[in-house]
Amino acid sequence: LKTFLTNFGGVAATIEDPPELALGGTYPKGYCYQTELPESQFEEGLKSTLRFRPKYIFFGEIRSQSAAQAAIRAGLSGHTVLATVHGGSIPAALLNLASMIAPHGRTDHVWRSLAETINVVSCMQRSKNRPAPEAKSLIISAVQNPEGVRSKIRSGLLEQLENDVDQLRNRTSRR
């Protein structure tokens, strides 16, 4: 978020429980409003945040249905949403997010919403044996077939995303 504000400018807002980094304040090209709220109040926080007309909204960390729904609503309304969600892999994080939004298994509308709003999914796996976490990313605009990735998400075929992650990693590692 600091990089976005420093390089591209604009207004950002964070809604966090608890804040992990000091992000609030003025940047060379932008400003960030940082708010600490209990996760149960993320929806109310989003309503207040929209008054700032932010380009970027950061939710840290999504652990409940109301927080997940607030993040998706913000994304569907055109904001760039950054959020943290736990999962052991990219498919697991997306499945976790979908199950929070629709906890009783009716996820067809959830997959459509996720397919329309997600542009990047990154997964960091920590290990006691490695000093730095292993990172895997799925940057939808960077894959060879972005609509194919969105179609997989729309259809809930998350396990197939690992192939896209591997292809993207292989393509970018050759540069």
mmCIF file of all heavy atoms in Angstrom, residues 124-134:
data_model
loop_
_atom_site.group_PDB
_atom_site.id
_atom_site.type_symbol
_atom_site.label_atom_id
_atom_site.label_comp_id
_atom_site.label_asym_id
_atom_site.label_seq_id
_atom_site.Cartn_x
_atom_site.Cartn_y
_atom_site.Cartn_z
ATOM 1 N N MET A 124 1.889 -16.727 0.779
ATOM 2 C CA MET A 124 3.202 -16.865 1.396
ATOM 3 C C MET A 124 3.143 -18.013 2.380
ATOM 4 O O MET A 124 2.257 -18.067 3.224
ATOM 5 C CB MET A 124 3.597 -15.579 2.118
ATOM 6 C CG MET A 124 3.832 -14.448 1.171
ATOM 7 S SD MET A 124 4.568 -12.966 1.864
ATOM 8 C CE MET A 124 4.151 -12.950 3.549
ATOM 9 N N GLN A 125 4.067 -18.925 2.227
ATOM 10 C CA GLN A 125 4.125 -20.072 3.125
ATOM 11 C C GLN A 125 5.394 -19.993 3.946
ATOM 12 O O GLN A 125 6.490 -19.925 3.405
ATOM 13 C CB GLN A 125 4.073 -21.369 2.330
ATOM 14 C CG GLN A 125 2.764 -21.533 1.596
ATOM 15 C CD GLN A 125 2.732 -22.777 0.733
ATOM 16 O OE1 GLN A 125 3.743 -23.231 0.234
ATOM 17 N NE2 GLN A 125 1.541 -23.317 0.562
ATOM 18 N N ARG A 126 5.214 -19.972 5.239
ATOM 19 C CA ARG A 126 6.356 -19.902 6.144
ATOM 20 C C ARG A 126 6.791 -21.306 6.527
ATOM 21 O O ARG A 126 5.986 -22.211 6.622
ATOM 22 C CB ARG A 126 5.995 -19.107 7.386
ATOM 23 C CG ARG A 126 5.618 -17.689 7.070
ATOM 24 C CD ARG A 126 5.438 -16.890 8.334
ATOM 25 N NE ARG A 126 4.969 -15.562 8.046
ATOM 26 C CZ ARG A 126 5.766 -14.552 7.705
ATOM 27 N NH1 ARG A 126 7.050 -14.727 7.624
ATOM 28 N NH2 ARG A 126 5.263 -13.359 7.460
ATOM 29 N N SER A 127 8.073 -21.443 6.762
ATOM 30 C CA SER A 127 8.624 -22.725 7.165
ATOM 31 C C SER A 127 9.718 -22.488 8.188
ATOM 32 O O SER A 127 10.464 -21.516 8.094
ATOM 33 C CB SER A 127 9.194 -23.442 5.936
ATOM 34 O OG SER A 127 9.953 -24.553 6.329
ATOM 35 N N LYS A 128 9.815 -23.372 9.147
ATOM 36 C CA LYS A 128 10.874 -23.257 10.150
ATOM 37 C C LYS A 128 12.256 -23.450 9.526
ATOM 38 O O LYS A 128 13.243 -22.968 10.034
ATOM 39 C CB LYS A 128 10.662 -24.296 11.254
ATOM 40 C CG LYS A 128 9.438 -24.045 12.074
ATOM 41 C CD LYS A 128 9.249 -25.131 13.114
ATOM 42 C CE LYS A 128 7.971 -24.906 13.881
ATOM 43 N NZ LYS A 128 7.704 -25.972 14.833
ATOM 44 N N ASN A 129 12.295 -24.156 8.397
ATOM 45 C CA ASN A 129 13.571 -24.474 7.760
ATOM 46 C C ASN A 129 14.066 -23.384 6.810
ATOM 47 O O ASN A 129 15.184 -23.457 6.340
ATOM 48 C CB ASN A 129 13.465 -25.788 6.988
ATOM 49 C CG ASN A 129 13.055 -26.926 7.901
ATOM 50 O OD1 ASN A 129 13.375 -26.929 9.083
ATOM 51 N ND2 ASN A 129 12.336 -27.892 7.360
ATOM 52 N N ARG A 130 13.211 -22.401 6.484
ATOM 53 C CA ARG A 130 13.611 -21.345 5.558
ATOM 54 C C ARG A 130 13.514 -19.993 6.254
ATOM 55 O O ARG A 130 12.521 -19.722 6.921
ATOM 56 C CB ARG A 130 12.688 -21.324 4.338
ATOM 57 C CG ARG A 130 13.048 -22.383 3.321
ATOM 58 C CD ARG A 130 12.143 -22.294 2.127
ATOM 59 N NE ARG A 130 11.052 -23.242 2.389
ATOM 60 C CZ ARG A 130 9.798 -23.065 2.084
ATOM 61 N NH1 ARG A 130 9.424 -22.002 1.463
ATOM 62 N NH2 ARG A 130 8.886 -23.954 2.379
ATOM 63 N N PRO A 131 14.522 -19.130 6.082
ATOM 64 C CA PRO A 131 14.478 -17.829 6.743
ATOM 65 C C PRO A 131 13.399 -16.903 6.165
ATOM 66 O O PRO A 131 12.808 -16.121 6.887
ATOM 67 C CB PRO A 131 15.872 -17.243 6.511
ATOM 68 C CG PRO A 131 16.436 -18.001 5.361
ATOM 69 C CD PRO A 131 15.761 -19.349 5.356
ATOM 70 N N ALA A 132 13.125 -16.996 4.874
ATOM 71 C CA ALA A 132 12.113 -16.144 4.243
ATOM 72 C C ALA A 132 10.953 -17.018 3.763
ATOM 73 O O ALA A 132 11.160 -18.161 3.357
ATOM 74 C CB ALA A 132 12.721 -15.399 3.064
ATOM 75 N N PRO A 133 9.741 -16.477 3.791
ATOM 76 C CA PRO A 133 8.607 -17.283 3.319
ATOM 77 C C PRO A 133 8.671 -17.502 1.818
ATOM 78 O O PRO A 133 9.176 -16.663 1.077
ATOM 79 C CB PRO A 133 7.390 -16.426 3.700
ATOM 80 C CG PRO A 133 7.901 -15.048 3.857
ATOM 81 C CD PRO A 133 9.334 -15.157 4.254
ATOM 82 N N GLU A 134 8.167 -18.660 1.389
ATOM 83 C CA GLU A 134 8.048 -18.935 -0.039
ATOM 84 C C GLU A 134 6.784 -18.236 -0.523
ATOM 85 O O GLU A 134 5.721 -18.367 0.079
ATOM 86 C CB GLU A 134 7.931 -20.440 -0.292
ATOM 87 C CG GLU A 134 7.745 -20.770 -1.752
ATOM 88 C CD GLU A 134 7.427 -22.232 -1.997
ATOM 89 O OE1 GLU A 134 7.408 -23.022 -1.045
ATOM 90 O OE2 GLU A 134 7.175 -22.569 -3.165
#
